[in-house]
Amino acid sequence: MKGLAVVVLVAVLVLPLGPCQGALQEGYYKGKCGSTDVEDTIKNVVLSRFNQDRSIVAALLRMQFHDCFVKGCDASILLDGSSSEKTAIPNLSVRGYDIIDEAKAALEKACPRVVSCADIIIAATRDAVSFSGGERYEIQTGRKDGLVSQASNVSLPSPSISVSDSIAAFATKGLTTKDMVLLLGGHTVGVAHCSLFQDRLYNYQGTGQRDPNMSLLLAVALGLRCPKNASVDNIANLDQNPLSALVVDNDYYKQLLLRRGVLQIDQALAMDARTRPTVASLAFRSDFTSQFAEAMIKLGAVEVLTDEQGQIRRSCRSVN
């Protein structure tokens, strides 16, 4: 979930319904697509892609975050256009659109104009998380697709945002400080381009030195991956434990406590008095995946469109 710049356990999680969630419900599509199970159809598409490329987990997590954080979870990020959200700088490296297209095509064949693209994003992300070690949480569906997608609407937290500003940004979406720490835990399977953290290696806050809050061993390792003045903008895992870089687990938080956070905002979580206790708790508890699932459900309920507020697109790339 760079937007600041991707074992199956089964659990059923039910959250209290807030104002945004009131028109959403679990099992919304049951009986609405003939004999086709909507969620199973999406799951099968995601599983096929996951078996080919495990990095789709981070890609879909990032897609959901970038969609929901801009005008709510309305699939506006999927719309094509010369000035659509896709063209905004933070979204130029978003990928996974073809996965959503494939799931949409299968569902349109089975039951035209029934399943929204917004719901497909939510379901596909849930499935990807579950295939990578996270919990297969129950999702609420019934979203409609938005009609507006403008690059000018895209305002996402940057990798160097302060904890204070990040808390404020998440609060505007009805998300708490704890939700923020949990959702940034999506970086457990994420990657970042060197350009997003290179200042921490070579010129932190204009000092000409590395960030003193970064482990020296990490700085050396990242320096090999991201040489100064390199002509290629390489990528690095945000969870620097190679055994868990593609697994949805709590190792990301353990790395932060060892000063091995790659992005500035990640490391800052382990240093700020408002967020460090949550980081420490998640690092040493066994229930990160269930807490992460709850935070993802809350993210999926941000500013949704329901009933007559939107539409069910024929194609996720264009309005009807």
Side-chain angles (χ1 to χ4, degrees):
M1 214 168 1
K2 289 181 308 179
L4 300 168
V6 93
V7 179
V8 180
L9 304 176
V10 180
V12 177
L13 300 172
V14 180
L15 291 182
L17 292 180
C20 295
Q21 295 169 289
L24 301 181
Q25 63 185 70
E26 293 176 10
Y28 175 83
Y29 291 110
K30 287 182 179 178
K32 295 183 178 178
C33 193
S35 61
T36 297
D37 186 311
V38 168
E39 292 189 24
D40 272 357
T41 299
I42 298 169
K43 180 183 70 174
N44 291 336
V45 169
V46 176
L47 179 59
S48 176
R49 295 302 187 92
F50 176 82
N51 287 334
Q52 300 171 41
D53 177 11
R54 292 185 64 183
S55 74
I56 68 161
V57 185
L60 289 171
L61 279 167
R62 187 173 180 222
M63 179 187 289
Q64 180 179 332
F65 182 80
H66 283 220
D67 184 45
C68 293
F69 227 75
V70 179
K71 292 184 66 62
C73 307
D74 65 349
S76 54
I77 195 171
L78 302 180
L79 290 172
D80 289 336
S82 60
S83 61
S84 71
E85 290 177 26
K86 280 183 179 179
T87 68
I89 291 176
N91 288 337
L92 293 179
S93 56
V94 170
R95 61 190 182 88
Y97 299 118
D98 56 327
I99 299 173
I100 307 302
D101 288 340
E102 183 177 344
K104 178 63 170 174
L107 291 168
E108 283 295 299
K109 184 176 181 180
C111 48
R113 300 282 302 281
V114 170
V115 183
S116 71
C117 302
D119 279 340
I120 294 174
I121 292 175
I122 300 298
T125 303
R126 182 272 309 272
D127 293 331
V129 167
S130 74
F131 296 144
S132 193
E135 298 204 7
R136 184 175 170 78
Y137 48 94
E138 292 293 338
I139 57 169
Q140 297 166 328
T141 45
R143 296 166 188 79
K144 293 297 177 64
D145 299 322
L147 305 175
V148 177
S149 181
Q150 294 291 334
S152 58
N153 289 332
V154 177
S155 178
L156 294 161
S158 78
S160 58
I161 192 173
S162 69
V163 171
S164 292
D165 287 346
S166 187
I167 289 173
F170 277 75
T172 65
K173 305 300 177 182
L175 300 167
T176 67
T177 299
K178 183 178 180 181
D179 294 332
M180 176 191 79
V181 177
L182 284 164
L183 290 169
L184 287 175
H187 288 172
T188 183
V189 289
V191 298
H193 284 277
C194 296
S195 57
L196 295 176
F197 58 83
Q198 207 154 17
D199 61 316
R200 299 189 68 211
L201 301 177
Y202 304 113
N203 190 28
Y204 181 64
Q205 295 184 348
T207 63
Q209 305 294 323
R210 71 175 175 87
D211 182 348
N213 296 315
M214 178 182 284
S215 157
L216 177 58
L217 291 177
L218 176 62
V220 171
L222 291 177
L224 295 175
R225 185 71 180 161
C226 308
K228 192 174 185 179
N229 301 321
S231 58
V232 177
D233 194 9
N234 286 328
I235 59 174
N237 291 326
L238 294 179
D239 178 351
Q240 280 288 301
N241 179 349
L243 299 178
S244 67
L246 290 173
V247 179
V248 176
D249 62 10
N250 66 340
D251 200 76
Y252 160 82
Y253 299 102
K254 296 177 182 178
Q255 298 291 311
L256 299 187
L257 295 177
L258 296 172
R259 297 190 300 125
R260 292 176 59 80
V262 176
L263 298 179
Q264 185 170 319
I265 181 57
D266 289 346
Q267 191 55 57
L269 294 179
M271 300 172 61
D272 191 285
R274 293 164 293 183
T275 51
R276 181 177 175 83
T278 303
V279 170
S281 174
L282 292 169
F284 296 109
R285 290 170 60 107
S286 60
D287 61 350
F288 162 68
T289 54
S290 62
Q291 292 196 60
F292 180 67
E294 292 179 13
M296 288 297 293
I297 293 171
K298 286 187 70 174
L299 175 65
V302 169
E303 299 172 14
V304 298
L305 303 177
T306 57
D307 301 323
E308 303 305 315
Q309 297 172 316
Q311 63 178 209
I312 304 293
R313 296 182 200 143
R314 295 184 181 88
S315 164
C316 291
R317 293 175 178 266
S318 60
V319 298
N320 296 337

